[in-house]
Structures are given as C-alpha cells and as structure tokens.
Amino acid sequence: MDLGDAGAMDFEDGGIMDNNDPAQQTAEFFGPSSRLYRNYHPFLSARPCDLKGNFLPPGTSPPPLTDKAPDDWTPYKSWVEFELADYLFTKNQTPAHSIDHLLNIWAASLIHAGGKSSIFSDHRSVYKAIDNTPLGDVKWESFTVKYTGDIPEEGAAPWMADSHEVWFCDPREVIRNMLANPDFAVEMDLRPYREFATENDERQWKDFMSGDWAYKQADIISEDTDTHGSTFVPVILGSDKTTVSVATGQNDYYPLYASIGNVRNNVRRAHRNAVAVVGFFAMPKSNLKPGMTTPEVARFGDGHYRCVIYGLGPYIADYEEQVLLACIVRRWCAKCLSHSKALDETNLLRSRIHVDALIEECDFDTLWAEYGVIAVLVPFTNDFPRADIHEFLTPDLLHQIIKRSFKDHLVEWVERYLLQEHGKTRANIILDDIDRRAFLDFCYLVRRNVLTEKSLKEIQDALARFHQYREIFKTTGTVTTFSLPRQHSMVHYVHCIRLFGAPNGLCSSIMESKHIKAVKEPWRWSSRYNALGQMLLTNQRLDKLTASCVDFRTRGMLAGTCLSSILAALDFLVKQLYPEMCATEIPNSIMDCPRYEGRIRVFNSAVSTFFAPSDLSGIGGMKREHICVSPNWRNGHARKDCVFVITDPNIHGMRGMDVARVLTFFSFRLRGGFYPCAVTGLWMVEPSSINGHAHFAVIHVELIFWSAHLIPVYGIEPLPTAIKSHHVLDIFTLFYVNRYADHHAFEIVC
C-alpha cells in the first residue's frame, strides 16, 4: 500500500453520498448540460443573517454595500484627483521628488493657460489624501522578542544577544476585508463540497473547498449544533525568505502571507489582493482564535452578513521553512515518519497526536535519532483548535518539483551519468535530446487545474515509473542515495490533492509574485535606512488605494474615464451656448470645447414654481415646492429627491417626461448668461443604463417640473431590518411611479 492510498483511507466518506441519510443533502447539478454535480456540506450551509447573527428567510435581499452617494469621492475631491493619486503611487510608482516636479509643471501650464492651481500642491498632499482613506485601513503594530535562555560563554550565536522586532497587522481584520471584497463575491465558495461527473460519478478536485480537509473540518465543527448554518473560513498561511539586495549587502526579509480557502484558485493566483502580507519575521498576534470555536458575524462581498467559523488551514512553505514549522530535525520528512536515511521507504503519516504521545514516552535523544523530533520545540499550531502542522504543510510545485527535483536533482544526475558513460562530446548531444523529457509526466499532471480519480492514478503511475527508472543512477554510481526530502515529497502529492484540491492554488510561486509588490518594490522606494517602517507604510497606502478603487467601482463611479465624465459636462455647456449646432459640429477634443474659468455654486435644494389648475389656493393657481439634495439630511443619511423631467413639452403627461433622481444642483455664469443645472440619474420604471453603467446627465434646472415619488416593486419576502428608506433607490431595480402621492402628481402622471 502506498501513501496515496493511505491518505485516501483517512476519509472513508470520500465517495458518493448516501441520499438515504437525512443529514446529507441531495446533489446540486451545475455546469454546461449539468455535466457535474456537487454534494455540499449539510450543516455549514453559509446562510445569510443579520448583524446580530439571526438567520434570514431564503431569498432575502442583502442590505446595500454602502450608504455613500454615487458621486461621493471622499477623501478625494473628484475622480480626477483619485485617478492621479492612483496613477502616481500605484501604477507609475513615482518617487516623491518626481511627483513634485510633475505637479510644478502642471501648475505652470494651468497658470499659463489662464487657469488656477493644480489638484495637489506637492507629494505630501498626495500622500495625505491616500492616508485619509478609511477603507483598507488595517494598522501595523510591533513588539520585540529576545532570547532569555542560557548563553554559552564561547561560541554563542549572535541572535542570542540581539533583540528582534516583529511587525504585524491583525489577520482577523485582513480576512474580514477579503470576505467583504465585492470583487470576490462571485468567485468564492462558501460551503465545503465534493464534486463528481454526472456521467460516471467520478470524483474530481479543483478549488480548495472541493478537498476532503475542508469537508472533514466542517464535520468536526458541526458537532456543535450552534454552528449550523455558519460559513467555514479556512485561513491559508505562507512564508518565504526574500532578499532585496545582494550587491549592496544582504538584506533579507521574512514576510508572512495570509489568504482564505474560500476564494478560488484562479483568484489567488491572479494576485487580486486575495493574498495579503500580515507580518514580518514571525507569527503575528491575533484575536482570531475565539472565532475558531464560536461563530462571529462578518460582512461578505455580496452584501450579506453571515456567521463565520475560522480555522487554520494549509501552510505554504519551502522545505527549510517546513523543518522550522514542524519542529523536526533537518533531512527528515515533515509529513511522514520515514527515516532520514531511508526516505524512499513507505511509512506512516505524522500527526500531532502521535508526536505528543512520543514526547510523553521517549527521551530527547531517542526522539531526535529515531523520529526526527525536537522535543523542546512546540509548533505554533498547537495553540489553535483542530490544527495539525504535519497535515497543513502543502505540496510546493515551484521549490519541490521544478527547482529541486527536476533542475537540481534529475538534470544534474543525467549530466553526470552521461559524462561518466559517454564522455563530454557525446553527452552534450544526448543531453539536448533527453533532458527536456525527463520527469515531465509527473510535473504536468500535478499542475493541472482539475484533477480526477483517473488523474490521481496517472500521477501514481508516473511516480512509480520514475522510481523504477531512477535506479540506473544508483547502480552506475552517479548518486549514492535517494533520501532527498524535496524529492521524497512527491509521494505525498496524491494524498494532499485529496485534502486540499489542485496544488497550483497552494504553490509558493504565489508568494514569490507577492514578494515583488509587498517587499521588493516598497524596499526600492525606501531610503534603505530603517527601511521596514517605510515599506509597511507603502503597503498600507497601496491597500487603501486598492480598497478605494473597489469601492468606487462597486458604486458604478469608474465607468469610462475621468476625461469622458468631464466631456459629458462640457457637452451640456456646448448645447447651452450653441443650441442650433448639430451633433457632427460638436468639438471632439477637450481643447476645442468652451473654457470655463469662473465660479461654480452648489446648492442643497431648489424651488419648483408651477401652475396648478387643480389647486387655486395660490396667486392665480401658482404652486411652490422644495426639491432637496442633501449629503446629510438632518445630520443623518443622504437625501436625493426624485423629479419629473420634461423631455418633450409638446406631449402631455408621462409620455413627455422622464423620472430622474437628482444628485446635485449647481449654477454658473458664462458670457453674461446664468445656467442653473442639475446632475441626475434617469429612470423610467427601471434604472436607465448605457453599456451596463448607470445613466448620468447634466440638465437645465428649468426642465425639472415637479418632485416624483417612486415605489419599489417588492418581492414576496420581508426586507432585512438593515434596509432603510434611504437605501431603496439604490438597491431596487424596478419601480412604480406613484400618481397618488398628492393631487398634483395625480394630474401629472396620466
């Protein structure tokens, strides 16, 4: 029996579920032609809830993601200001002195053109705007550690006398930000599941939540009935030393990264902020532990709240880090009990329970020599529930397979063998023909996005062939032993695939890529002196800009470009100045549009005066009404009234009007003329859109006839208590125009 089979035997319920068991759900089909079906976990079912953790009826709409208005760019003054800050800091990575130089040129050009000062005065004003962003604000903290044991008089290691500073941010807050990210809403698995082909019931593994480990953890958690309906959130950790400078001195950093198992593998690999740096040099402090046994309420990207149960999950690390994490002797395997001098022999898997029992029964020397265990060290995972570091350590395609087993081992062995058997000239000819084919079967199989039962058998067959064919290197004296920990790790791949899904979602290459944005580039921006604090500030600003971008995009504020939004306003101005101009004569370039250098006044309300023949109480039947647009109505939520807008004065009633929501009132003077205007979002029974984006327009205020009252078309389920009246226009997609709001509306809407 090989280790792949042994791993599979750990999960006797890994096959097709028994539908006669009332605790198990029936299959849910999905995919083209329902070619696949999934058996989801019956108890940790990710039910939406309210802020107090009370579960909501099925089909209940989520509360709005934000109360902010669709034109609120806080802390930036405008789209242009945000776009410039994001470009300078994120996209172009402009140094401070270059920002100052650019802004000086910009200010000079504006003054030369008769304008006023630029958006930002210098790099400090850019950084201040970014720092004032409340989104993505997870503070960095630090503490100092020092060795307190006995220090030998001779041969003491330098680290024994030094103090070591550890920087960290709260992983709980980082994880909650990931859960609440709207970008991940449709690319997140909220429930553990097992996936099968409809045609032949063949099991397959892809994303993390399709593995047996997540399902088994859900089984353990759901033994407590208070957790039923909750969402299991596995926390994936990873660490890897990185060097930022070699030529000017060795500068090594040890970042710790965190992700969640709910996001799919393609998202984690795409570097879309599903992997975040949470610490430097050591494990960070966290208040995550209470949420591993007692559900807590968290916001998700789809707008719903859910009760979540956290759990430590896989740890991505190279072999050197695995030795430290598992507290084992170097050259031993961190996942099984195979002896360091005979790693190619099959043995039992390590476990926390077994190691604890060995420590109780054996002395230090026996543990070291016979089991590769360092008794005086304790894995950090022992402080957390349901955590076993030996189970958590994942396959690493980059370091174990590509760099070590293939490049450092196999290619080198082949070169040495050919030189020994055929001489240098003949060896080079043969090497060109074979070194690219060796070992590739296994490599390409394990890197697949989707792995089936058939794939696992093919992986085992490829591994068996490799073990058979590599014997030639030992018999010819090319190598003396195959007890190589990284190459030995190949025997654990099938078992780990069953546990955690496809290995390409848990590869250290994800962290290597993250090093560039989180460590290497921030280090290059720093002064190189006490660089870590500067690097952390850079990371924090990048997180804030990313969070702002997600927020603005979710509210539909980044449709088009900042230039197109300004051109839309200028288009209104051209039409006001040249009402007889046809569309083909309107300038295409912003430089050819009318230039406005005056003052724009913004108002929170406007007065509509009109003739009301059904109400003669005023002078000659005239009626006045206030239309309000306030960012803080009575020191509370925003208020933006709806109005009837005249689109064709020659048509009576609703056929000649649109219904609009006013976003702001403003006015300006140009060439002796006065232009009172309104920015509106248009509705006619449902929100109007252009190319999938909300329709905004600048209109003359004289086109506004009367305030309108819209009634949402409700469903059959009650609304969550978190939805208030000021949310209605933002979350509903279909409305009735209420002609019974008053007798004036009754006359207008006909």
Side-chain angles (χ1 to χ4, degrees):
M1 181 180 67
D2 57 34
L3 285 175
D5 295 329
M9 291 179 65
D10 290 343
F11 300 93
E12 296 176 358
D13 54 351
I16 302 169
M17 283 185 150
D18 180 6
N19 291 329
N20 295 322
D21 186 347
Q24 295 177 344
Q25 293 181 342
T26 56
E28 295 185 20
F29 293 89
F30 75 103
S33 304
S34 298
R35 66 182 186 84
L36 298 171
Y37 69 91
R38 290 178 176 177
N39 288 330
Y40 287 97
H41 196 274
F43 298 124
L44 295 196
S45 51
R47 290 182 57 187
C49 66
D50 59 22
L51 268 170
K52 296 181 179 179
N54 301 312
F55 292 121
L56 302 175
T60 303
S61 299
L65 287 169
T66 179
D67 288 334
K68 294 180 181 178
D71 58 348
D72 183 359
W73 293 94
T74 305
Y76 306 95
K77 296 177 182 177
S78 64
W79 188 350
V80 176
E81 189 169 298
F82 165 71
E83 196 78 20
L84 179 60
D86 188 44
Y87 175 78
L88 292 175
F89 199 84
T90 305
K91 296 182 175 65
N92 197 55
Q93 302 174 5
T94 312
H97 68 275
S98 297
I99 294 176
D100 292 341
H101 186 62
L102 176 63
L103 292 175
N104 286 339
I105 296 174
W106 190 355
S109 67
L110 290 175
I111 294 172
H112 180 73
K116 297 184 179 180
S117 61
S118 58
I119 297 174
F120 297 111
S121 58
D122 55 21
H123 72 275
R124 294 181 183 85
S125 60
V126 177
Y127 296 162
K128 183 177 180 181
I130 299 172
D131 292 339
N132 287 337
T133 305
L135 301 171
D137 190 12
V138 182
K139 300 294 184 184
W140 283 91
E141 305 173 61
S142 68
F143 61 89
T144 302
V145 295
K146 186 175 182 179
Y147 176 68
T148 58
D150 296 332
I151 301 178
E153 295 181 0
E154 296 181 2
W159 60 264
M160 291 183 173
D162 293 340
S163 294
H164 306 277
E165 194 173 30
V166 178
W167 285 87
F168 70 97
C169 57
D170 189 350
R172 176 177 173 272
E173 293 303 316
V174 173
I175 291 165
R176 290 174 69 91
N177 284 345
M178 289 182 187
L179 293 173
N181 191 334
D183 278 358
F184 302 155
V186 297
E187 296 182 288
M188 186 178 289
D189 295 315
L190 302 181
R191 296 178 288 170
Y193 63 91
R194 287 168 175 156
E195 190 169 271
F196 303 88
T198 305
E199 181 180 5
N200 56 7
D201 294 328
E202 183 182 25
R203 176 84 182 273
Q204 72 174 34
W205 293 263
K206 183 182 179 183
D207 296 308
F208 181 81
M209 298 298 276
S210 68
D212 287 328
W213 182 84
Y215 206 100
K216 198 69 174 181
Q217 287 286 300
D219 284 342
I220 297 171
I221 294 169
S222 61
E223 291 175 1
D224 179 359
T225 56
D226 290 339
T227 65
H228 290 190
S230 298
T231 306
F232 178 45
V233 179
V235 180
I236 298 173
L237 298 174
S239 59
D240 186 24
K241 183 186 79 171
T242 183
T243 302
V244 295
S245 175
V246 176
T248 59
Q250 194 79 0
N251 291 280
D252 296 332
Y253 290 94
Y254 298 82
L256 175 71
Y257 297 101
S259 182
I260 53 176
N262 307 87
V263 296
R264 294 171 185 159
N265 289 351
N266 64 302
V267 178
R268 197 175 299 113
R269 292 195 306 269
H271 317 136
R272 290 169 47 192
N273 299 295
V275 179
V277 59
V278 295
F280 277 87
F281 192 77
M283 291 302 303
K285 295 180 179 179
S286 173
N287 57 1
L288 194 65
K289 189 174 179 179
M292 294 182 175
T293 52
T294 304
E296 70 176 36
V297 177
R299 190 80 180 270
F300 280 71
D302 61 0
H304 277 298
Y305 292 93
R306 292 180 175 88
C307 296
V308 300
I309 289 284
Y310 304 110
L312 277 190
Y315 199 110
I316 307 170
D318 187 16
Y319 175 72
E320 299 298 335
E321 282 82 20
Q322 290 184 2
V323 169
L324 298 175
L325 292 164
C327 303
I328 62 169
V329 180
R330 196 168 180 273
R331 297 190 180 278
W332 287 73
C333 176
K335 295 194 70 69
C336 74
L337 292 168
S338 295
H339 198 279
S340 61
K341 296 180 180 179
L343 287 176
D344 51 338
E345 295 181 1
T346 302
N347 216 314
L348 298 175
L349 295 172
R350 292 183 187 268
S351 71
R352 173 179 171 179
I353 296 174
H354 183 247
V355 171
D356 289 345
L358 288 175
I359 293 174
E360 287 289 330
E361 299 296 329
C362 303
D363 58 41
F364 181 90
D365 293 337
T366 302
L367 289 170
W368 182 288
E370 299 297 327
Y371 299 99
V373 174
I374 304 176
V376 294
L377 300 180
V378 179
F380 81 95
T381 52
N382 285 18
D383 291 333
F384 296 90
R386 308 182 306 276
D388 186 339
I389 189 61
H390 305 292
E391 183 180 47
F392 286 171
L393 296 173
T394 65
D396 182 6
L397 293 174
L398 178 63
H399 291 103
Q400 293 175 346
I401 302 301
I402 299 172
K403 286 187 176 181
R404 293 297 186 175
S405 297
F406 181 74
K407 181 176 178 291
D408 293 348
H409 296 165
L410 189 58
V411 172
E412 183 182 345
W413 294 351
V414 170
E415 289 177 351
R416 286 159 56 186
Y417 170 77
L418 293 176
L419 287 171
Q420 176 181 310
E421 297 295 320
H422 299 282
K424 184 175 181 180
T425 303
R426 180 61 179 163
N428 289 336
I429 297 173
I430 301 174
L431 188 63
D432 289 339
D433 185 47
I434 69 169
D435 66 357
R436 284 178 289 231
R437 295 198 301 265
F439 198 55
L440 293 184
D441 280 354
F442 185 92
C443 293
Y444 282 112
L445 284 169
V446 296
R447 69 175 298 275
R448 286 179 176 175
N449 292 331
V450 179
L451 294 131
T452 64
E453 291 283 3
K454 180 182 178 182
S455 303
L456 300 190
K457 292 178 181 177
E458 291 173 346
I459 291 171
Q460 287 294 95
D461 291 343
L463 182 60
R465 291 198 309 273
F466 171 67
H467 285 170
Q468 177 186 351
Y469 297 147
R470 72 177 181 179
E471 290 295 325
I472 187 66
F473 298 114
K474 184 181 287 187
T475 57
T476 58
T478 304
V479 296
T480 58
T481 180
F482 295 131
S483 290
L484 303 166
R486 290 180 177 87
Q487 192 175 125
H488 162 76
S489 69
M490 294 164 59
V491 304
H492 298 299
Y493 266 68
V494 168
H495 174 57
C496 289
I497 289 169
R498 293 183 185 275
L499 287 179
F500 304 128
N504 63 11
L506 298 172
C507 180
S508 62
S509 61
I510 297 171
M511 295 185 302
E512 296 273 359
S513 299
K514 193 69 176 178
H515 284 339
I516 298 172
K517 291 294 183 183
V519 181
K520 294 180 182 293
E521 289 180 352
W523 184 84
R524 288 198 291 268
W525 301 349
S526 73
S527 66
R528 275 56 162 191
Y529 177 71
N530 290 335
L532 185 55
Q534 302 168 57
M535 293 161 59
L536 299 178
L537 180 59
T538 297
N539 274 283
Q540 193 168 32
R541 286 171 174 165
L542 289 171
D543 290 342
K544 286 173 175 285
L545 283 166
T546 300
S548 292
C549 188
V550 171
D551 176 48
F552 296 150
R553 184 167 56 247
T554 301
R555 289 188 276 147
M557 297 166 62
L558 297 181
T561 65
C562 54
L563 178 60
S564 65
S565 67
I566 294 176
L567 288 175
L570 292 175
D571 181 58
F572 162 79
L573 185 57
V574 171
K575 291 178 180 178
Q576 293 294 315
L577 293 175
Y578 312 108
E580 304 300 326
M581 184 181 291
C582 65
T584 57
E585 297 175 320
I586 296 176
N588 291 323
S589 171
I590 187 172
M591 302 306 296
D592 297 327
C593 292
R595 189 175 70 197
Y596 181 70
E597 303 172 1
R599 183 179 178 185
I600 294 179
R601 302 180 66 188
V602 178
F603 303 90
N604 288 339
S605 67
V607 177
S608 173
T609 304
F610 58 96
F611 178 69
S614 59
D615 186 358
L616 299 178
S617 57
I619 301 176
M622 299 302 291
K623 181 73 176 177
R624 290 165 56 91
E625 181 190 43
H626 283 269
I627 302 169
C628 296
V629 183
S630 173
N632 299 103
W633 176 250
R634 295 176 179 173
N635 295 321
H637 56 79
R639 172 177 171 177
K640 291 177 170 55
D641 287 350
C642 292
V643 295
F644 293 106
V645 177
I646 300 173
T647 55
D648 191 337
N650 299 318
I651 301 178
H652 179 67
M654 276 296 297
R655 295 179 182 273
M657 292 185 290
D658 280 346
V659 177
R661 188 184 185 190
V662 183
L663 302 181
T664 188
F665 289 112
F666 67 95
S667 68
F668 61 93
R669 291 185 179 275
L670 182 64
R671 300 178 185 177
F674 177 69
Y675 298 91
C677 313
V679 180
T680 63
L682 303 181
W683 273 277
M684 288 186 64
V685 303
E686 63 181 0
S688 174
S689 63
I690 299 177
N691 296 327
H693 301 291
H695 182 190
F696 296 97
V698 179
I699 65 172
H700 201 288
V701 75
E702 292 179 358
L703 296 177
I704 296 178
F705 183 62
W706 176 257
S707 64
H709 181 224
L710 301 183
I711 302 174
V713 178
Y714 295 101
I716 60 175
E717 299 292 341
L719 294 176
T721 56
I723 295 180
K724 307 300 181 184
S725 59
H726 57 279
H727 296 145
V728 168
L729 294 174
D730 295 314
I731 64 175
F732 281 89
T733 58
L734 198 61
F735 299 87
Y736 297 111
V737 180
N738 184 12
R739 66 176 303 196
Y740 303 105
D742 55 33
H743 56 284
H744 302 299
F746 186 80
E747 295 289 338
I748 295 169
V749 184
C750 59

